[in-house]
Amino acid sequence: MSKNPHDPIQLLSTPGGAPVKMWTQGVPVEPEARAQLQNTAKMPFIFKHLAVMPDVHLGKGSTIGSVIPTRGAIIPAAVGVDIGCGMIAVRTSLTAADLPDNLAGLRSAIEQAVPHGRTTARSKRDKGAWDRTPQEVDSHWARLAPRFKRLTDNYPQLLKTNNHQHLGTLGTGNHFIEVCLDEQQRVWVMLHSGSRGVGNAIGTLFIALAQKDMQRHIANLPDRDLAYFEEGSRHFDDYMAAVGWAQDFARHNREVMMSRVLAALSTVVPKPFLTQQEAVNCHHNYVQREKHFGEEVLVTRKGAVSAQKGEMGIIPGSMGAKSFIVRGLGNAESFCSCSHGAGRTMSRTAAKKRFSVEDQIRATAHVECRKDSEVIDEIPMAYKDIDAVMAAQSSLVEIVHTLRQVVCVKG
DNA sequence: ATGTAC
């Protein structure tokens, strides 16, 4: 129980709604995000309060950087379409001195090992990458296949998605792979990705079903993206099974890619090395049943990470900024959560308008990464100050390692 | 974020 008088919670109250408790001291919060949070807080099945992380910003469906505890109902658009999106990080036994002087070869090896960007099984350009390492993918898919079969028996349209073809692929947008160094110059590999095409299709399908099921009452909701399934309904059970499967797909996807990246690393580093030391694999876009304040609740984390006492998590900064391996403090008021990153301060289009390629080159001078006009939207200046974000959540997590990127592959 | 269509 958080009885810490110094816990810097900012309270946003909503007439007729649940309180909104925000860990945002010293970081900006958009008025649009506040309004969106207040809409969510009006839903009658919110358990106790919403918890808001310091990387909070307006999102599609629900606010990024929020924790939505519910009882008896679930909002599929709150989880969104990038179901199970999250981070994996592994420390290797290598140090900076073991890496080659020129990191361009390492970046290129990773780019060849992991299909990234707009990849489909049908595109000729990516044929090579798709044909590689089927055996490893198969062993992961074997664990996902039985429940996918059950899912597609009821929802056959999901058979038409990229599913096993996307296992072990990065995707686009802010999905990335990085090689980092910690404070002791030890080499880490980390990456950010989700459930790809099939998770997107599952999210889209159930968001539409919730809106359809509620169509006679949907005008009474503050936002049609707050359409929900009530516990006990068929779609509730189907959604919980489907979203849980997509989350597992995402976790396996990150594991497959991690082993591909480590294999790529071993091709450019002559020294043999150990891995799986201090491995962390965490979702930051998901829902699961948890116990809080002595009650069973559904916890939706949209751009938030579980931070139970002693639990390890990953908080990446933007390209060119620091990232953090953290340990949860088990802050009950936050439903044991922390932020999932720095949080954007401006849209991708605004960032591309505001900054130039020269700005991006300057901001990422110490990182082996792309620096062309296509990646300006990830410029560090389009994100909140990660140090301020970490300070605002010092009652939620403690920093175990501070990482700085040396190589970044952007999806 | 992804897929598809324009």
Side-chain angles (χ1 to χ4, degrees):
Chain A
M1 212 57 62
S2 171
K3 296 278 192 242
N4 179 359
H6 304 295
D7 199 358
I9 301 173
Q10 301 184 314
L11 193 65
L12 177 63
S13 57
T14 306
V20 180
K21 297 188 178 182
M22 312 202 295
W23 280 259
T24 52
Q25 196 173 72
V27 293
V29 181
E30 309 159 307
E32 298 85 354
R34 289 175 194 269
Q36 191 178 37
L37 288 161
Q38 286 177 308
N39 279 345
T40 308
K42 285 178 198 150
M43 302 310 285
F45 46 78
I46 301 295
F47 175 67
K48 289 184 83 79
H49 59 267
L50 298 183
V52 179
M53 305 296 111
D55 58 345
V56 59
H57 60 101
L58 187 72
K60 165 78 189 137
S62 76
T63 320
I64 318 290
S66 66
V67 182
I68 307 166
T70 59
R71 269 197 308 189
I74 188 71
I75 305 168
V79 178
V81 294
D82 197 3
I83 298 168
C85 186
M87 299 288 307
I88 185 171
V90 168
R91 181 167 74 80
T92 72
S93 58
L94 298 171
T95 66
D98 300 318
L99 293 176
D101 291 338
N102 184 351
L103 293 169
L106 175 54
R107 171 155 76 101
S108 161
I110 295 169
E111 285 169 346
Q112 283 175 51
V114 182
H116 58 282
R118 287 195 155 219
T119 44
T120 70
R122 289 151 210 108
S123 105
K124 287 193 190 93
R125 187 173 65 84
D126 300 309
K127 200 88 181 88
W130 285 96
D131 290 344
R132 239 172 289 123
T133 57
Q135 198 187 338
E136 186 194 17
V137 171
D138 283 350
S139 70
H140 284 269
W141 180 254
R143 284 186 269 167
L144 293 162
R147 279 180 300 148
F148 188 61
K149 166 82 170 61
R150 251 170 279 154
L151 193 55
T152 55
D153 284 346
N154 291 326
Y155 300 95
Q157 61 268 56
L158 296 173
L159 285 167
K160 286 183 277 182
T161 59
N162 286 309
N163 42 77
H164 72 273
Q165 306 95 317
H166 265 175
L167 194 54
T169 70
L170 187 63
T172 61
N174 63 356
H175 289 168
F176 63 82
I177 302 167
E178 282 178 354
V179 179
C180 306
L181 301 176
D182 70 11
E183 59 290 326
Q184 295 176 55
Q185 301 299 103
R186 298 181 301 192
V187 175
W188 290 67
V189 174
M190 66 183 218
L191 64 89
H192 175 216
S193 188
S195 53
R196 310 286 287 105
V198 66
N200 189 302
I202 288 169
T204 305
L205 167 65
F206 282 95
I207 290 166
L209 281 174
Q211 292 175 348
K212 201 171 154 213
D213 289 355
M214 288 193 76
Q215 77 191 114
R216 297 164 68 154
H217 318 283
I218 206 154
N220 301 330
L221 294 176
D223 183 333
R224 53 184 289 117
D225 277 331
L226 289 167
Y228 55 89
F229 298 122
E230 277 182 287
E231 193 152 10
S233 69
R234 181 181 159 202
H235 285 156
F236 177 96
D237 291 340
D238 288 354
Y239 178 65
M240 288 307 291
V243 80
W245 181 86
Q247 287 163 194
D248 287 347
F249 180 99
R251 195 186 297 277
H252 281 287
N253 185 34
R254 291 190 291 269
E255 282 177 15
V256 172
M257 283 187 281
M258 179 56 79
S259 52
R260 286 176 168 182
V261 175
L262 293 170
L265 181 60
S266 71
T267 65
V268 300
V269 175
K271 184 174 161 180
F273 59 88
L274 300 171
T275 60
Q276 297 302 320
Q277 307 184 36
E278 303 181 57
V280 191
N281 191 349
C282 59
H283 301 315
H284 53 223
N285 235 22
Y286 70 112
V287 58
Q288 68 180 9
R289 292 183 190 276
E290 295 182 3
K291 201 166 185 182
H292 292 276
F293 301 96
E295 310 245 10
E296 293 286 333
V297 291
L298 287 159
V299 179
T300 299
R301 293 195 179 85
K302 171 80 156 196
V305 176
S306 179
Q308 305 275 352
K309 190 163 183 58
E311 189 178 15
M312 302 301 286
I314 307 166
I315 302 179
S318 59
M319 227 177 184
K322 291 173 285 192
S323 295
F324 299 91
I325 304 296
V326 296
R327 187 184 293 120
L329 296 176
N331 184 312
E333 287 290 308
S334 72
F335 300 93
C336 300
S337 309
C338 67
S339 93
H340 82 311
R344 298 196 76 90
T345 54
M346 65 182 80
S347 69
R348 292 179 183 280
T349 42
K352 285 192 173 180
K353 208 165 161 185
R354 173 98 69 99
F355 301 105
S356 66
V357 172
E358 286 68 37
D359 293 329
Q360 175 73 339
I361 290 170
R362 232 172 289 128
T364 62
H366 55 292
V367 188
E368 169 55 47
C369 63
R370 278 175 63 188
K371 294 155 204 265
D372 54 87
S373 61
E374 294 296 298
V375 299
I376 292 175
D377 52 347
E378 291 295 331
I379 198 164
M381 294 85 93
Y383 285 84
K384 296 182 193 186
D385 172 13
I386 189 71
D387 290 320
V389 166
M390 295 309 292
Q393 58 185 328
S394 60
S395 62
L396 306 183
V397 283
E398 58 183 337
I399 296 169
V400 180
H401 294 297
T402 303
L403 310 182
R404 66 181 178 91
Q405 305 99 311
V406 291
V407 176
C408 175
V409 171
K410 194 180 176 295

